[in-house]
């Protein structure tokens, strides 16, 4: 009976221990996600208030200076990825207009890491802002995906089709023009290889008439 009681107590202790470890792991993952959301929100807030002149100063800084600055800010990103994020932010504003606001951030696990995204409102259209983190919770990239209407998508598809077909026709016309020149190339080759005709013999000079001695 005592053995059964001790086994039951031990099983209960193991169950409590496993459940406690699981809750601790979930809390750690949740904290990591909250940290990544905080980093992403800090980047969006900072970039939206940073003028182009400051961006230019970042790009002119040396790699060491930029790494030291990022280290002081506490952002988990290196200088190369930070500059790439600046370029992506500029491209997003060039396509969607001036930045206005953003919504709540969401996290999603992927095969390459964690993606933190939010829907942002720009002057001309809305877009999804996505931050990619690697397995060590380091920022890899920033992507801004604009939302297009059906008419805009069809317009882009039509333009791409026209450009593609136009390029094909231009190349075909060029090839036809090059092929049409082959006949002249052949004639030039024949002229160069043909033997020169022998010069015509000079006409014979008639002999002077002999006078008869009478």
């Amino acid at each position: 009976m005592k053995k059964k009681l001790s086994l039951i107590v031990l099983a209960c202790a193991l169950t409590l221990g496993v459940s406690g470890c699981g809750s601790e792991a979930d809390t750690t993952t949740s904290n990591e996600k909250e940290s990544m959301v905080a980093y992403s929100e800090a980047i969006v807030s900072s970039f939206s208030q940073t003028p182009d002149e400051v961006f230019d100063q970042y790009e002119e800084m040396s790699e060491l200076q930029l790494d030291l600055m990022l280290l002081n800010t506490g952002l988990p990103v290196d200088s190369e990825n930070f500059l790439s994020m600046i370029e992506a932010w500029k491209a997003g504003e060039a396509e969607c207009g001036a930045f206005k606001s953003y919504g709540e951030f969401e996290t999603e696990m992927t095969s390459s890491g964690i993606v933190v995204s939010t829907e942002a409102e720009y002057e001309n259209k809305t877009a999804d802002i996505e931050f990619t983190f690697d397995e060590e919770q380091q920022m890899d990239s920033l992507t801004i995906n604009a939302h297009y209407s059906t008419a805009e998508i069809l317009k882009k598809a039509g333009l791409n089709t026209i450009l593609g077909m136009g390029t094909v026709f231009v190349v075909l016309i060029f090839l036809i023009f090059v092929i049409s020149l082959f006949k002249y190339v052949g004639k030039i080759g024949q002229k160069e290889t043909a033997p020169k005709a022998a010069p015509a013999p000079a006409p014979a000079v008639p002999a002077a008439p002999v006078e008869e001695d009478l």
Side-chain angles (χ1 to χ4, degrees):
M1 186 68 178
K2 291 181 180 180
K3 289 183 179 180
K4 290 183 179 180
L5 289 174
S6 61
L7 290 173
I8 293 174
V9 171
L10 181 61
C12 292
L14 290 174
T15 303
L16 292 175
V18 171
S19 61
C21 293
S23 61
E24 184 177 357
D26 292 342
T27 303
T28 303
T29 304
S30 177
N31 290 337
E32 290 174 352
K33 290 181 179 180
E34 290 177 0
S35 298
M36 287 183 281
V37 168
Y39 293 141
S40 303
E41 190 172 2
I43 289 289
V44 173
S45 300
S46 176
F47 281 7
S48 61
Q49 300 173 5
T50 302
D52 293 338
E53 293 79 8
V54 178
F55 283 143
D56 295 337
Q57 292 178 4
Y58 289 153
E59 294 175 351
E60 293 175 357
M61 294 172 64
S62 65
E63 184 177 353
L64 179 59
Q65 290 175 338
L66 193 55
D67 282 330
L68 290 175
M69 186 200 73
L70 294 172
L71 184 63
N72 292 329
T73 59
L75 292 173
V77 58
D78 58 20
S79 58
E80 183 179 357
N81 290 336
F82 184 74
L83 293 177
S84 298
M85 291 163 66
I86 291 176
E87 293 299 325
W89 182 268
K90 288 181 178 180
E93 286 195 329
E95 184 176 6
C96 304
F99 176 84
K100 288 187 175 182
S101 61
Y102 62 92
E104 295 183 358
F105 283 87
E106 299 179 354
T107 58
E108 181 183 0
M109 293 291 298
T110 62
S111 58
S112 58
I114 299 176
V115 176
V116 180
S117 61
T118 182
E119 185 175 355
E121 183 180 355
Y122 288 83
E123 185 178 2
N124 298 329
K125 52 176 60 98
T126 58
D128 291 330
I129 301 177
E130 296 182 353
F131 292 91
T132 304
F133 292 80
D134 60 13
E135 297 177 353
E136 298 178 355
Q137 287 80 49
Q138 295 290 317
M139 278 184 168
D140 275 345
S141 62
L142 163 65
T143 307
I144 299 178
N145 300 317
H147 297 166
Y148 294 100
S149 62
T150 305
E152 290 175 333
I153 294 173
L154 293 176
K155 183 179 179 180
K156 277 197 167 187
L159 289 175
N160 291 334
T161 303
I162 293 173
L163 288 175
M165 294 179 64
T167 304
V168 171
F169 279 114
V170 169
V171 173
L172 287 175
I173 293 171
F174 177 74
L175 290 176
I176 292 172
F177 174 72
V178 172
I179 293 172
S180 65
L181 296 177
F182 285 171
K183 58 182 180 180
Y184 299 105
V185 175
K187 290 181 180 179
I188 293 173
Q190 289 177 0
K191 288 181 180 180
E192 291 179 353
T193 56
K196 294 183 179 181
V205 179
V210 179
E211 294 183 358
E212 185 178 357
D213 190 5
L214 297 177

